Amino acid sequence: MKIAVVGSGYVGLVASACFAKLGHEVACIDRDRGKIDILLAGRLPIYEPGLQDLVNSGVGNGSLMFGTDLPQAVSRAEAVFIAVGTPDIGDDGRPDLTSVFAVAREIAAAASGFTVVVTKSTVPVGTGDAIEAVMSAILPRERFAVVSNPEFLREGRAIEDFDHPDRIVIGADCEWAREVMAQIYDPRHFPDVPMIFTSRRTAELMKYASNAFLAAKIAFINDMSDLCENARANVCDLARGMGLDARIGRDFLEAGPGYGGSCLPKDTRALVRMATDHGAPLAIFEAIVAANNRRKRRLAARIVEACGDAIEGKTIGLLGLTFKANTDDMRESPALPLIEDLKLLGANIRAYDPAGMANAARLVDDVVFTADPYDCANGAHALVIVTGWSEFQALDLQKIRSSLIVPIVIDFRNILDPVEMAANGLAYISVGRASVQPLHILDQGAVLHVSPSLAGLSEHRIARTGGTAGGQMPNQAKADAGLVALSSLVLAEEDFGHPDPR
Ligand code: NAD
């Protein structure tokens, strides 16, 4: 089938390359000449694992082409996907649909034959009706159909998500359009994938409902992590125990710095707006939006608390800037308010991100971007993990320890092991878990706890743990030191006991 995709961003580019792989003939169009030039030069304007190979192969076999000429691409296409951005504007949660309607008009002016217009962009319920109205002022209604095909891909896993979606949602109020969509998403390529045919309005709302629910899970576990910290429980174990309940599920139960990205924040705000506009306010999501904003704004205070006092004039190293790992997307990343707040508090900021530094550099200033995590830690008074890139799980902790001025690591993603951190001489503060203080190995072989643990480990209990080998922390010493750190976590619960049931 001949397809045009308008918008060559995260959604449009991935969809174009994946449709081409399915055997369709795809023209991917963008008004941004710079992006198209990058694509025509054989490179990608975004970072997405596996996408470069897929684009190369589509371009190589002639099934995928790029350009800026929308009328030409549309006039040849049987289906046109709208995949332009719908950012929110102002404070009221309403997304900006200017690009969607502009593209709809251009499609109406250029369409030849019967054309199925498919919104992949996330748009409020009823937008399909409005697109239909806009187009019908230019093109007779019997010449086109408007379909909603919401996109559920996750950046960083977008190709896998396209190939193996949990479901494919088609919101179409016209039988012919449904048949065209069933040909595009040929079930032979998607065996066992539920294909949900529903009304256009339901499909539009389904996207928002799904994203808002995911945001709710994140906000829930984040609030639980605060409770875990105060109640001296462990949010990772709690989430695992909850998530193994099939009714709850494990995904999106990772406590962290608050959700970000191009979708969850704006879509949750838009749902709140939509619900109010439709006379069915969603108080629960209003609270979620507020809680997430508060959480992002508390990150800097947590760093100050971990550093023991003001951070004015101190250097803070940030590991990770993107809103999550495996993407270069900085949209609504928790790193942005954090950097703003750290600057207000007078901190000097060093930062490293495996993919996001070019995008970050356009959004923030007064940040020193570094070559690698060790350079980032160099001369810092604390190192903060903001994004859970897997390479941060494999850091050489001794190298980190010696690069830092003060051996503090604050992990907003819970990707490191408290026991390992303490054993490597690092104070470690994570989310919803007991914090640990560094352990030192003395020449005589005794393990010494450098300062009273935040978890309440007392000196005599450390002394009781007995001797280990000294020097360069051989494995046995590390293991013993780890035991002390571990015992601090356990002891914390014993020491503080349970709240008085009265
Ligand atoms: P994006 O900003 O990365 O890409 C949008 C592209 O559209 C840009 O390249 C822009 O130049 C182009 N564009 C804008 N107006 C245009 C016009 N008039 N003509 C031609 N091109 C135009 O956005 P994205 O992240 O790909 O998101 C697109 C839509 O998909 C949004 O509605 C978003 O909410 C939704 N969505 C995004 C994701 C995601 O993970 N990024 C996932 C699901 C759904």
Side-chain angles (χ1 to χ4, degrees):
M1 183 160 289
K2 287 189 170 60
I3 293 175
V5 176
V6 186
S8 68
Y10 290 87
V11 167
L13 190 51
V14 169
S16 297
C18 291
F19 283 143
K21 188 174 72 171
L22 295 184
H24 302 301
E25 209 175 295
V26 185
C28 180
I29 302 300
D30 206 289
R31 67 174 175 189
D32 184 335
R33 181 81 243 176
K35 275 192 181 179
I36 294 300
D37 284 344
I38 291 172
L39 288 160
L40 291 174
R43 292 178 286 116
L44 294 187
I46 56 167
Y47 172 84
E48 181 62 42
L51 186 57
Q52 182 74 68
D53 288 347
L54 208 56
V55 167
N56 290 349
S57 117
V59 170
N61 65 29
S63 59
L64 177 60
M65 56 85 56
F66 299 105
T68 53
D69 191 342
L70 185 146
Q72 189 188 56
V74 167
S75 66
R76 293 176 181 165
E78 295 154 85
V80 184
F81 285 77
I82 301 178
V84 298
T86 51
D88 60 359
I89 33 171
D91 298 329
D92 71 357
R94 287 194 178 91
D96 181 358
L97 301 177
T98 315
S99 292
V100 170
F101 291 125
V103 169
R105 279 188 204 94
E106 287 185 72
I107 295 170
S112 66
F114 186 87
T115 305
V116 176
V117 180
V118 191
T119 42
K120 256 206 179 302
S121 299
T122 303
V123 293
V125 60
T127 303
D129 301 358
I131 292 175
E132 208 167 76
V134 161
M135 288 186 66
S136 63
I138 303 166
L139 188 69
R141 273 183 196 263
E142 53 280 8
R143 293 266 311 280
F144 71 94
V146 178
V147 171
S148 168
N149 170 217
E151 180 55 69
F152 297 99
L153 66 77
R154 288 163 290 183
E155 286 175 23
R157 303 179 54 168
I159 292 163
E160 196 186 324
D161 284 348
F162 187 96
D163 289 344
H164 307 285
D166 294 324
R167 75 296 208 193
I168 294 168
V169 176
I170 312 286
D173 299 329
C174 139
E175 189 51 42
W176 172 246
R178 270 189 217 120
E179 279 173 26
V180 169
M181 294 306 288
Q183 282 176 48
I184 293 173
Y185 289 102
D186 186 336
R188 284 173 301 177
H189 295 300
F190 300 99
D192 307 324
V193 175
M195 186 92 76
I196 299 177
F197 288 100
T198 182
S199 74
R200 196 166 59 200
R201 295 176 80 92
T202 308
E204 289 168 339
L205 200 50
M206 203 180 295
K207 171 66 189 175
Y208 285 101
S210 302
N211 270 1
F213 191 83
L214 295 175
K217 275 187 100 175
I218 296 173
F220 171 84
I221 203 65
N222 282 340
D223 272 4
M224 287 307 297
S225 79
D226 288 349
L227 175 56
C228 283
E229 280 168 23
N230 290 357
R232 301 199 174 266
N234 181 317
V235 78
C236 297
D237 292 348
L238 179 113
R240 183 157 183 269
M242 284 178 64
L244 286 170
D245 183 330
R247 295 168 302 176
I248 297 172
R250 294 178 70 163
D251 289 349
F252 282 71
L253 278 186
E254 280 150 11
Y259 59 78
S262 67
C263 292
L264 294 195
K266 96 173 158 56
D267 293 351
T268 317
R269 289 193 294 266
L271 183 64
V272 166
R273 179 78 252 166
M274 233 180 289
T276 305
D277 288 349
H278 283 84
L282 291 171
I284 186 172
F285 289 108
E286 288 171 24
I288 284 164
V289 169
N292 196 58
N293 290 340
R294 269 200 312 275
R295 189 160 188 92
K296 288 180 178 177
R297 284 295 178 193
R298 272 215 317 264
L299 299 175
R302 291 195 64 139
I303 293 169
V304 172
E305 199 183 318
C307 290
D309 55 13
I311 53 171
E312 188 172 3
K314 289 185 178 169
T315 299
I316 306 296
L318 303 183
L319 285 187
L321 294 166
T322 52
F323 83 92
K324 66 173 181 180
N326 297 325
T327 182
D328 60 351
D329 200 339
M330 285 295 299
R331 287 177 281 187
E332 304 223 25
S333 171
L336 295 172
L338 172 59
I339 288 172
E340 202 174 284
D341 292 343
L342 288 175
K343 274 166 43 181
L344 281 175
L345 291 165
N348 306 311
I349 303 167
R350 298 171 73 75
Y352 169 75
D353 187 283
M357 289 196 289
N359 283 342
R362 289 186 205 107
L363 301 171
V364 296
D365 48 23
D366 295 332
V367 171
V368 176
F369 294 103
T370 63
D372 58 44
Y374 309 102
D375 188 16
C376 182
N378 196 20
H381 296 80
L383 188 65
V384 183
I385 295 175
V386 186
T387 313
W389 285 92
S390 59
E391 76 169 77
F392 302 154
Q393 284 175 292
L395 292 172
D396 177 337
L397 296 175
Q398 283 300 307
K399 215 165 148 188
I400 290 289
R401 166 77 185 80
S402 55
S403 303
L404 286 165
I405 288 184
V406 183
I408 298 177
V409 174
I410 299 148
D411 179 1
F412 286 133
R413 298 286 182 175
N414 286 349
I415 59 171
L416 296 172
D417 176 13
V419 172
E420 266 290 298
M421 299 302 281
N424 279 281
L426 291 152
Y428 179 65
I429 293 100
S430 52
V431 180
R433 313 191 281 185
S435 303
V436 291
Q437 290 291 302
L439 299 164
H440 279 193
I441 309 298
L442 296 182
D443 282 347
Q444 285 73 24
V447 177
L448 176 68
H449 191 236
V450 169
S451 60
S453 161
L454 297 179
L457 186 64
S458 58
E459 292 289 339
H460 81 276
R461 285 177 192 271
I462 298 160
R464 272 196 337 204
T465 61
T468 66
Q472 293 299 306
M473 287 196 77
N475 286 343
Q476 184 55 46
K478 269 192 190 174
D480 289 349
L483 274 177
V484 175
L486 191 62
S487 71
S488 80
L489 303 180
V490 175
L491 284 167
E493 283 172 20
E494 283 172 8
D495 289 351
F496 285 83
H498 298 286
D500 188 331
R502 286 169 300 170

